[in-house]
């Protein structure tokens, strides 16, 4: 069974993409069931698509207003607000009913947000899959200048997450997506049940198809544009990096592609800067890009935008947030820069050198195929399921 915090469809970004792609491959040899929250009426319409993968699909409706009330009611709690956000008696009931109806070999629990639901259930093998080290995410977020009230909230949430994260020891195994996150959690919480399960990229969708490396007039950023690290990244890039790039390349365009752009992002649109909103065919945008930029200043884990660009054979310039989880040398498909001046200089170097764009892109494609394809990652998850099941049987 997959116990998820969001409906894993449509599989465009983030945690939806991960469960969808893993389950799509595991279904060929296993019987899979899905229990998850629906937070909008639109979520409820995806059951038929999910039933193509899962033998049963059960959605528990949790509207966002009710989640907000959960957080208000939990002001004096010691649990993280994101855990409180997904608190639901209806989910508890649905989970117990599902466990009675089926005899599962193992359960995949997605995200720290869902950890409370099976932390105390010892009779079934359970894997807790963390998208990243959330305490690291909040630690880095505090390094970015914020308003006073927001800074107070973020400090409180980091404290709560650090206190709550040891819940991962209650599971047979806990997974995270990058060596950096794994080592951080291991040092913070002294647990020995952590394993690595990378994020992946769909190599059937993100295919180079003779990328035109002679094109060098477009910089591309992709991602959900209501996600705080992405919002901060494009504002930072537009204000501090792009002007330096344009001193050498005045005609370069900057395309910000992603669903749900907040007002701060929409306000960036002007001559030479395009904010697209939702784009179904991201692969098409990658083909038009000369360089993909990922200047994230806070966050954790690995970034889909970086993996997708590498799979498409497009050179990437990113910060340490997008780079350190890749496990590659600087320049092997992506370059890491952490200052506005260094970032702009590396972008300009790529824009001025077609051969460098080609070599970097080809290296990135090779890394994506070798390390980050969903076929390989799903086999690794299957091995983890077998490991926890065998250990539970002993």
């Amino acid at each position: 069974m997959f116990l998820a915090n969001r409906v894993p469809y449509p599989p465009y970004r983030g945690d939806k993409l991960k469960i969808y792609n893993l389950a799509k491959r595991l279904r060929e040899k296993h019987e899979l069931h899905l229990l998850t929250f629906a937070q909008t009426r639109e979520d409820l319409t995806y059951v038929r698509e999910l039933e193509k993968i899962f033998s049963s699909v059960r959605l528990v409706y949790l509207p966002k207003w009710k989640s907000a009330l959960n957080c208000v009611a939990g002001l004096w709690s010691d649990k993280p607000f994101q855990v409180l956000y997904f608190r639901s008696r209806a989910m508890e009931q649905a989970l117990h009913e599902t466990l009675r109806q089926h005899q599962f070999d193992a359960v995949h629990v997605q995200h720290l947000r869902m950890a409370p639901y099976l932390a105390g259930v010892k009779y079934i093998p359970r894997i807790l899959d963390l998208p990243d080290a959330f305490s690291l995410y909040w630690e880095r977020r505090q390094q970015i200048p914020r308003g006073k009230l927001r800074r107070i909230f973020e400090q409180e949430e980091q404290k709560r997450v650090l206190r709550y994260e040891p819940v991962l020891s209650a599971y047979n195994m806990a997974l995270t997506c990058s060596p950096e996150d794994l080592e951080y959690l291991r040092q913070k919480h002294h647990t020995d049940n952590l394993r690595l399960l990378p994020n992946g990229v769909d190599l059937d969708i993100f295919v180079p198809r003779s990328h035109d490396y002679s094109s060098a007039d477009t910089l591309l950023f992709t991602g959900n544009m209501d996600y705080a690290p992405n919002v901060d990244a494009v504002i930072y890039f537009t204000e501090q990096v792009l002007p330096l790039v344009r001193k050498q390349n005045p005609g370069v365009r900057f395309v910000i592609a992603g669903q749900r752009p907040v007002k701060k992002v929409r306000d960036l649109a002007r001559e030479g800067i395009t904010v697209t909103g939702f784009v179904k065919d991201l692969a098409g945008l990658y083909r038009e890009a000369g360089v993909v930029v990922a200047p994230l200043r806070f966050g954790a884990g690995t970034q889909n935008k970086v993996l997708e660009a590498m799979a498409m054979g497009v050179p990437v310039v990113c910060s340490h947030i997008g780079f350190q989880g890749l496990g590659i040398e600087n320049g092997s498909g992506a370059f890491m820069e952490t200052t506005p001046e260094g970032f702009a200089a590396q972008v300009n170097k790529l824009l001025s050198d077609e051969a460098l764009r080609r070599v970097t892109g080809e290296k990135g494609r090779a890394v994506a195929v070798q390390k980050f394809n969903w076929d390989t990652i799903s086999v690794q998850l299957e091995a983890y399921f077998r490991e926890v099941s065998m250990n539970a049987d002993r």
Side-chain angles (χ1 to χ4, degrees):
M1 177 172 69
F2 282 81
L3 178 63
N5 66 309
R6 301 189 194 278
V7 173
Y9 197 88
Y12 291 130
R13 312 296 297 182
D15 43 13
K16 294 186 176 190
L17 184 152
K18 186 173 187 179
I19 283 192
Y20 179 85
N21 279 284
L22 290 171
K24 181 180 176 182
R25 288 154 177 83
L26 290 174
R27 68 170 177 166
E28 297 177 3
K29 295 189 289 182
H30 303 280
E31 179 184 320
L32 308 180
H33 298 256
L34 175 67
L35 175 58
T36 185
F37 283 115
Q39 290 212 285
T40 66
R41 294 297 178 184
E42 184 180 5
D43 284 341
L44 300 173
T45 67
Y46 298 134
V47 171
R48 285 191 177 182
E49 288 296 328
L50 293 168
E51 286 177 341
K52 295 176 182 178
I53 296 176
F54 297 96
S55 297
S56 72
V57 176
R58 185 165 183 175
L59 306 184
V60 175
Y61 186 55
L62 180 65
K64 294 180 180 180
W65 65 263
K66 187 173 287 187
S67 290
L69 286 180
N70 284 343
C71 293
V72 173
L75 282 174
W76 310 115
S77 169
D78 62 350
K79 289 185 178 179
F81 288 105
Q82 59 203 291
V83 171
L84 295 169
Y85 190 89
F86 288 93
R87 185 170 59 185
S88 166
R89 290 183 179 178
M91 175 58 80
E92 290 178 0
Q93 182 179 349
L95 175 60
H96 291 312
E97 290 175 358
T98 304
L99 292 176
R100 285 197 301 268
Q101 293 167 359
H102 302 277
Q103 186 175 351
F104 296 110
D105 297 303
V107 179
H108 178 281
V109 180
Q110 181 199 35
H111 218 293
L112 188 71
R113 298 164 181 166
M114 302 300 286
Y117 288 104
L118 281 172
V121 178
K122 304 297 184 182
Y123 65 87
I124 185 169
R126 296 147 301 126
I127 293 177
L128 177 61
D129 192 347
L130 307 173
D132 48 40
F134 252 58
S135 52
L136 177 59
Y137 167 92
W138 287 105
E139 179 181 301
R140 286 173 168 168
R141 186 161 177 161
Q142 291 181 55
Q143 297 171 10
I144 306 303
R146 322 283 283 177
K148 184 176 180 180
L149 289 178
R150 182 166 291 186
R151 188 167 63 251
I152 291 172
F153 166 78
E154 292 172 355
Q155 289 172 348
E156 175 63 22
E157 182 69 349
Q158 188 200 12
K159 292 176 183 177
R160 293 186 180 206
V161 169
L162 275 172
R163 286 196 298 262
Y164 190 74
E165 270 180 340
V167 72
L168 58 88
S169 296
Y171 281 78
N172 302 88
M173 183 182 294
L175 307 176
T176 191
C177 67
S178 82
E180 179 191 23
D181 290 51
L182 187 149
E183 188 57 34
Y184 178 89
L185 289 171
R186 183 174 286 162
Q187 290 184 6
K188 283 288 183 182
H189 304 300
H190 309 288
T191 182
D192 61 356
N193 69 334
L194 285 163
R195 302 288 189 278
L196 183 65
L197 188 73
N199 284 333
V201 59
D202 193 328
L203 298 176
D204 294 327
I205 295 176
F206 296 99
V207 184
R209 295 179 186 170
S210 302
H211 184 75
D212 182 9
Y213 289 102
S214 66
S215 176
D217 62 352
T218 302
L219 306 178
L220 174 64
F221 180 99
T222 69
N224 290 335
M225 293 317 306
D226 59 352
Y227 180 51
N230 289 340
V231 174
D232 175 79
V234 294
I235 293 173
Y236 161 71
F237 185 82
T238 300
E239 293 180 349
Q240 299 191 42
V241 182
L242 188 58
L244 301 177
V245 173
R246 284 181 168 161
K247 286 183 178 180
Q248 184 172 327
N249 290 278
V252 74
R253 296 190 309 127
F254 181 37
V255 177
I256 303 168
Q259 59 188 337
R260 302 186 302 272
V262 297
K263 185 177 184 302
K264 287 182 179 180
V265 175
R266 297 195 302 272
D267 288 348
L268 296 175
R270 64 199 69 160
E271 185 177 355
I273 301 177
T274 302
V275 179
T276 68
F278 173 74
V279 177
K280 187 173 183 179
D281 181 23
L282 275 178
L285 281 182
Y286 284 120
R287 291 189 190 98
E288 297 172 2
V291 178
V292 167
V293 296
L296 279 79
R297 296 196 293 175
F298 63 95
T302 52
Q303 302 295 320
N304 289 322
K305 59 181 68 62
V306 175
L307 298 181
E308 291 167 356
M310 291 170 68
M312 292 290 297
V314 185
V316 184
V317 182
C318 56
S319 67
H320 60 293
I321 304 298
F323 184 84
Q324 289 180 342
L326 297 173
I328 62 174
E329 294 183 0
N330 205 352
S332 296
F335 289 93
M336 182 184 77
E337 294 292 342
T338 57
T339 66
E341 295 78 12
F343 206 103
Q346 187 58 64
V347 169
N348 280 328
K349 188 175 181 180
L350 283 163
L351 291 177
S352 65
D353 191 335
E354 179 179 342
L356 180 60
R357 293 196 300 276
R358 181 182 298 276
V359 169
T360 305
E362 290 174 349
K363 286 181 179 179
R365 173 67 182 179
V367 170
V369 170
Q370 180 182 3
K371 298 180 60 174
F372 297 107
N373 73 82
W374 285 120
D375 292 335
T376 300
I377 296 167
S378 65
V379 170
Q380 182 62 70
L381 179 58
E382 182 181 30
Y384 288 148
F385 279 136
R386 295 190 185 281
E387 181 180 339
V388 297
S389 298
M390 290 175 62
N391 290 339
D393 291 338
R394 291 192 183 115

